[in-house]
Amino acid sequence: MTADRDRGSAATEYMSMIGLFLFVLMVCFEVYAGFTAVEKIEDAARTGARVGSMQNVGAGRVAAENVMPAWLNERSVQVFREGDAVVCVIRAKVPVLAPGVPLDFSITRKVQIPVGG
């Protein structure tokens, strides 16, 4: 009698846990993508400021734009001279689920390097 009542319970438990597992996996992927985006934007800001300090601000802007990943939304790069330093400010929106889904979060990074440094 108990064997008939327990039929399919293992499959039901497995299916309920697979949804939770997929959700946790998606959250881990999104956290990884966020940290990767922060690292890539920081690298682009350093590259823009470094190239801008050695060449000119136009070359720094182009270098920063070339380093940034294409999957970021609404990117803006500003490279300008401030006193005896070159400043690169990058703002970008990181897509949370996929590009085009309006659940983005913004990242801003600013790097300042002395001219000729």
Side-chain angles (χ1 to χ4, degrees):
M1 183 85 174
T2 56
D4 289 337
R5 286 193 345 213
D6 289 343
R7 175 177 270 160
S9 64
T12 304
E13 291 172 6
Y14 174 75
M15 292 306 291
S16 65
M17 292 305 291
I18 202 99
L20 178 65
F21 172 74
L22 290 176
F23 176 75
V24 169
L25 186 66
M26 184 187 76
V27 168
C28 290
F29 176 74
E30 293 300 327
V31 168
Y32 170 74
F35 282 120
T36 300
V38 168
E39 188 267 329
K40 294 291 184 183
I41 292 170
E42 182 76 27
D43 184 44
R46 276 194 314 269
T47 300
R50 185 179 64 247
V51 172
S53 72
M54 291 190 295
Q55 296 177 14
N56 60 39
V57 293
R61 179 180 166 88
V62 170
E65 288 174 348
N66 287 338
V67 173
M68 297 227 333
W71 52 267
L72 295 173
N73 294 337
E74 296 182 29
R75 303 177 287 173
S76 73
V77 178
Q78 297 175 334
V79 181
F80 55 92
R81 200 154 170 177
E82 189 175 83
D84 62 346
V86 172
V87 179
C88 181
V89 179
I90 297 181
R91 291 180 182 86
K93 290 193 173 184
V94 179
V96 172
L97 294 175
V101 177
L103 297 174
D104 303 342
F105 64 92
S106 298
I107 296 175
T108 302
R109 289 294 177 258
K110 177 181 178 181
V111 174
Q112 182 174 350
I113 294 181
V115 174

